[in-house]
Amino acid sequence: MVKTMILEEKLRAQLQQKDILLMTHIVLGYPSFHVNRQVIAQMVGNGVDCIEMQIPFSEPMADGPVILKANQDSLAAGTTVKQCLEFGAEMTAAHDIPFLFMTYYNIIFKYGEEDFFMAAKAADIQGLIVPDLPPEMSPDFFRFAKTSGIAPILIFAPTSTNSRMDELNTSADGFIYCVARRGVTGAQSEFDGEFDSYLNRCRAATSLPLAVGFGIRDSEDVRAISGRADIAVIGSKTIQLVDTEGVEAVGPFISNLR
Amino acid sequence: MENQTVFGNWGGSYIPEILHQTFEQLQDEYLKARNDPHFWQEYSDLMSTYSGRPTPLTYAENLTRHFGGAKIYIKREDLNHTGAHKANNVMGQGLLVKRMGKKRVIAETGAGQHGMATATMAAKFGFDCTIYMGEVDVQRQRPNVFWMEKMGATVIPVVDGSRILKDAINEAFRDWVSNVDTTHYVLGTACGPAPFPEMVSWFQSIIGMETEKQIKQQHGKPPARVYACVGGGSNAMGIFQGFLGNSDVELVGVEAGGKGIKSGLHACRLCGSDASPGVAQGYKTMFLQNSDGQMLETHSVAAGLDYVGVSPILADLAEKKRVRFESATDSEVMQALDLTMKMEGIIPALESAHAFVQAFKEAPQLSADEAIIINQSGRGDKDIFTIAHAFDDPSWKKFIIAIAEEYNR
Ligand SMILES: Cc1ncc(COP(=O)(O)O)c(C=O)c1O
């Protein structure tokens, strides 16, 4: 298939200079867009290579307690999809790294798939992660992704068989998000021998860069996957950090990760 | 209805990749079971020796006289073991779990009846069991929590979101993705990702199969109308399947009108105009949601009907106009309950009482040679606190105060 390549090329260019890239996750509107703005500035200023911005959803089925609570609090504060799209546009204009949206399928379905892709394109968003949309459920989604040049990021899991990975790869673009373990976001992961053979299976199934997420919390974890994966995803940890130590703690935390 | 994953515009399987393989396995086992005549035999033997099936179809002579129209029959799922239709689905899934070789089951529950049934099945089959239940529902269905725990289940109150049924479903999914190798999620209604809507409906079809025979024996011909309450839609799908093929039988689903359909405090997804198409909890259906796609709070006096989504199969049958949808308010439900207890000596669950309300409204319009059937999905014992409170019952209050004083001493 013809890949849009935009996101993948940007990541490959970064990988020329770094052993491993860092992708961080924020929940839009939590604790506020104002704080999101400051956190993103800290992240970019300290070398983050890519940021996924979660548009909150009332039923975040794949998320653990930290991100679940952030989704709920953001919605309780009145966050709308429109605000998230506007904020996305502001960030892509302000910072020269790729930004992605992560959200659940209903947000996109309800907005209208084609309209959502157009809006995301207008905001210069480079990729979309939708954990509850298996490719077989919406061919349209992947058609619009291609025409808009936004990479649909697909997820591999340790439970995915080799043939399933092959099948997912035919719809994927940008990079593959490899979930490190069974479970939801937040809890600890082990990067052991079993993890190695899983990552080898992921590598064999795709030529796209591999991101590893779920349970990456510190420089030790990042080191553990360096050389094996291309991108380390830090999710719940920075959200917790902002909650407990404030925005200022984000910069030093990021710069110490690798 | 043969192995469908999509029903018209509805259904599907919108699941995180981590669950893909487990759904393949489930789909596989389910199809094997469906194509194996011994499986249904084993299932119906179990239901007859353990669960008291077939449940009776009762002619409600006094209610019939009272309303002066069609003959009113009541299908008695309250007499099914554990006190509701929920056990039909649960025992069926329990047999599948044995075939899949898993050792742990989890479930969500609203009214507590599905949790009760799952805890019962787990005790009988020797599985570990964890039940997720919204904190609000733990409060309003306390007797069921007690029995679940006594049967060895762990009941986890869910404190996220609206703290009711949908939140319990989310939490059960979170457990499942973490423990998918050992655990089966016994989904309690005809919702969720395929194959659940069809599989749950298949197990519940035992209600409709029995009823279709019973009404012919007792009344000599099919009923004019069949009424069932609709939470997720499993008891309705169960009884409707006995009559779907006969277009002379009108099928009526009754949703929770709560404080009234105009109040916004209800759970009407297929009647009224507050719901819209959406995708959540793994499937596409009509959801009560805002224009951004965020789910709304629902309200019903009946925990089991207090849910944002509805079976994709019923969404399809509604769209095709095969099933008509109506609603009953909290206060109408109390009146119907009162009347049914006094006239027939039968105590319907608050959920089931919704079906009674609509049947009572329509019975007088039909002639005496017609029959209507109400599916009494469960018994009201679990609702003793809610019902006593709604009736503001003085002797009950005195009793509770005395017990509280005893525990405080
Ligand atoms: C007695 C009873 N009836 C009805 C329901 C609603 O579920 P469904 O629509 O799946 O039958 C419940 C759910 O908890 C219930 O306990």
Side-chain angles (χ1 to χ4, degrees):
Chain A
M1 67 181 272
V2 187
K3 304 259 176 186
T4 48
M5 287 303 248
I6 305 166
L7 177 59
E8 187 187 350
E9 274 165 16
K10 285 189 183 170
L11 297 172
R12 293 256 179 244
Q14 288 301 305
L15 279 166
Q16 296 292 311
Q17 297 151 34
K18 300 173 185 170
D19 291 341
I20 188 142
L21 307 186
L22 297 178
M23 178 164 97
T24 48
H25 181 128
I26 63 159
V27 176
L28 292 173
Y30 178 79
S32 66
F33 284 104
H34 176 65
V35 171
N36 287 159
R37 203 174 273 121
Q38 295 177 324
V39 169
I40 287 173
Q42 294 254 345
M43 287 172 169
V44 177
N46 287 280
V48 160
D49 302 284
C50 180
I51 297 179
E52 54 167 321
M53 302 182 289
Q54 180 167 4
I55 302 175
F57 180 46
S58 57
E59 320 301 318
M61 190 210 252
D63 283 302
V66 173
I67 295 181
L68 165 64
K69 178 178 171 293
N71 273 261
Q72 287 177 351
D73 289 2
S74 173
L75 291 174
T79 299
T80 64
V81 174
K82 185 163 175 283
Q83 286 174 329
C84 293
L85 287 164
E86 286 166 4
F87 183 83
E90 183 193 326
M91 289 305 105
T92 58
H95 303 289
D96 190 25
I97 63 165
F99 284 87
L100 319 179
F101 277 139
M102 178 270 179
T103 195
Y104 288 83
Y105 183 54
N106 198 45
I107 298 296
I108 298 167
F109 176 78
K110 191 73 180 151
Y111 197 92
E113 286 178 292
E114 187 164 19
D115 290 347
F116 188 89
F117 273 101
M118 277 160 56
K121 180 77 194 160
D124 203 17
I125 292 297
Q126 310 275 307
L128 265 182
I129 307 177
V130 187
D132 63 344
L133 183 68
E136 56 274 14
M137 288 316 302
S138 180
D140 277 355
F141 180 95
F142 291 85
R143 207 157 44 76
F144 298 136
K146 199 163 291 169
T147 50
S148 62
I150 295 178
I153 311 300
L154 290 193
I155 295 174
F156 286 178
T159 50
S160 311
T161 60
N162 293 346
S163 65
R164 176 67 178 165
M165 287 182 182
D166 290 342
E167 184 184 331
L168 292 170
N169 183 52
T170 60
S171 304
D173 201 355
F175 62 89
I176 297 281
Y177 192 124
C178 305
V179 169
R181 57 166 164 73
R182 291 156 180 74
V184 289
T185 51
Q188 190 76 45
S189 291
E190 297 288 342
F191 303 107
D192 53 11
E194 198 181 321
F195 174 76
D196 263 348
S197 63
Y198 160 55
L199 265 201
N200 288 339
R201 293 199 300 118
C202 297
R203 260 308 169 218
T206 183
S207 59
L208 291 169
L210 298 183
V212 171
F214 280 38
I216 297 185
R217 320 181 64 86
D218 53 28
S219 58
E220 203 180 311
D221 292 339
V222 173
R223 212 173 312 121
I225 62 169
S226 289
R228 302 196 255 178
D230 304 300
I231 306 168
V233 186
I234 296 98
S236 306
K237 182 65 200 188
T238 42
I239 296 173
Q240 271 172 322
L241 196 66
V242 175
D243 282 349
T244 55
E245 292 174 43
V247 178
E248 301 309 316
V250 174
F253 169 74
I254 297 289
S255 64
N256 282 329
L257 280 176
R258 75 182 156 192
Chain B
M1 217 183 57
E2 273 301 320
N3 182 31
Q4 273 177 264
T5 56
V6 173
F7 308 90
N9 296 312
W10 315 100
S13 183
Y14 299 83
I15 50 170
E17 175 58 24
I18 200 120
L19 291 176
H20 180 84
Q21 203 48 36
T22 238
F23 270 88
E24 298 264 289
Q25 184 197 11
L26 180 61
Q27 179 79 27
D28 240 42
E29 284 301 339
Y30 160 59
L31 286 184
K32 261 191 245 156
R34 255 197 107 128
N35 294 326
D36 172 4
H38 298 299
F39 181 86
W40 190 264
Q41 192 57 51
E42 183 186 2
Y43 169 68
S44 66
D45 288 350
L46 176 67
M47 294 316 286
S48 91
T49 57
Y50 185 64
S51 208
R53 299 208 75 92
T55 58
L57 182 70
T58 301
Y59 174 45
E61 200 177 348
N62 300 328
L63 284 170
T64 300
R65 195 176 329 105
H66 179 79
F67 287 106
K71 292 195 179 67
I72 300 174
Y73 288 86
I74 302 174
K75 177 62 173 169
R76 303 291 304 281
E77 291 303 296
D78 57 316
L79 298 178
N80 201 24
H81 183 39
T82 72
H85 69 296
K86 295 287 176 187
N88 305 335
N89 166 40
V90 166
M91 298 314 291
Q93 289 196 45
L95 292 176
L96 282 185
V97 175
K98 287 218 281 192
R99 289 181 159 211
M100 290 188 289
K102 291 187 172 179
K103 293 279 178 272
R104 177 173 178 263
V105 290
I106 56 173
E108 87 294 349
T109 194
Q113 289 302 124
H114 175 59
M116 245 313 250
T118 305
T120 304
M121 177 272 279
K124 179 168 170 58
F125 290 163
F127 303 140
D128 283 340
C129 179
T130 299
I131 304 294
Y132 293 93
M133 188 168 187
E135 197 181 34
V136 171
D137 295 335
V138 167
Q139 283 297 320
R140 54 180 168 174
Q141 306 279 236
R142 196 61 185 73
N144 278 341
V145 175
F146 174 80
W147 290 121
M148 286 186 263
E149 290 179 341
K150 280 288 157 269
M151 282 185 287
T154 306
V155 180
I156 301 185
V158 176
V159 297
D160 303 305
S162 342
R163 296 172 291 132
I164 57 176
L165 185 57
K166 80 168 169 62
D167 310 288
I169 293 177
N170 287 336
E171 235 10 70
F173 271 111
R174 291 190 185 103
D175 180 316
W176 204 14
V177 297
S178 311
N179 303 293
V180 9
D181 306 330
T182 56
T183 300
H184 174 70
Y185 174 15
V186 186
L187 218 151
T189 188
C191 289
F196 281 110
E198 189 190 75
M199 182 174 72
V200 173
S201 299
W202 181 49
F203 290 129
Q204 293 293 2
S205 70
I206 197 166
I207 306 174
M209 285 159 61
E210 289 172 9
T211 313
E212 194 262 339
K213 284 200 199 94
Q214 288 165 324
I215 193 71
K216 272 202 196 127
Q217 272 164 14
Q218 295 184 38
H219 175 64
K221 61 173 185 178
R225 295 179 191 171
V226 179
Y227 299 86
C229 68
V230 179
S234 68
N235 86 87
M237 278 307 299
I239 194 159
F240 289 170
Q241 282 171 103
F243 306 95
L244 269 176
N246 182 349
S247 57
D248 293 339
V249 181
E250 194 179 3
L251 305 173
V252 185
V254 188
E255 298 184 280
K259 309 263 186 226
I261 206 156
K262 291 204 183 69
S263 70
L265 299 169
H266 60 75
C268 296
R269 295 105 349 146
L270 295 173
C271 66
S273 54
D274 286 355
S276 60
V279 177
Q281 308 209 302
Y283 68 110
K284 187 184 287 180
T285 193
M286 294 291 280
F287 282 102
L288 289 162
Q289 56 183 332
N290 72 14
S291 59
D292 264 0
Q294 312 295 357
M295 297 300 141
L296 298 173
E297 296 238 355
T298 51
H299 171 85
S300 170
V301 69
L305 307 187
D306 202 350
Y307 180 52
V308 285
V310 66
S311 176
I313 308 178
L314 287 175
D316 185 42
L317 291 170
E319 205 167 53
K320 293 182 170 140
K321 305 240 185 295
R322 179 64 188 95
V323 178
R324 166 162 62 93
F325 286 85
E326 304 286 350
S327 67
T329 64
D330 290 353
S331 64
E332 288 172 327
V333 160
M334 288 302 165
Q335 286 167 24
L337 190 65
D338 196 29
L339 191 69
T340 306
M341 290 192 289
K342 297 238 163 66
M343 301 203 90
E344 298 290 345
I346 288 175
I347 311 174
L350 285 170
E351 288 79 10
S352 321
H354 286 70
F356 285 71
V357 168
Q358 193 61 31
F360 292 171
K361 285 182 192 167
E362 298 182 14
Q365 306 159 7
L366 294 165
S367 69
D369 60 350
E370 301 285 12
I372 60 175
I373 301 174
I374 304 168
N375 196 24
Q376 183 177 343
S377 54
R379 65 178 182 221
D381 310 42
K382 69 180 175 65
D383 299 317
I384 188 162
F385 288 90
T386 311
I387 296 172
H389 189 75
F391 286 135
D392 199 18
D393 190 87
S395 68
W396 174 261
K397 269 199 233 170
K398 223 164 103 189
F399 162 73
I400 293 289
I401 291 166
I403 292 282
E405 275 167 4
E406 189 183 320
Y407 284 145
N408 271 332
R409 225 171 279 143

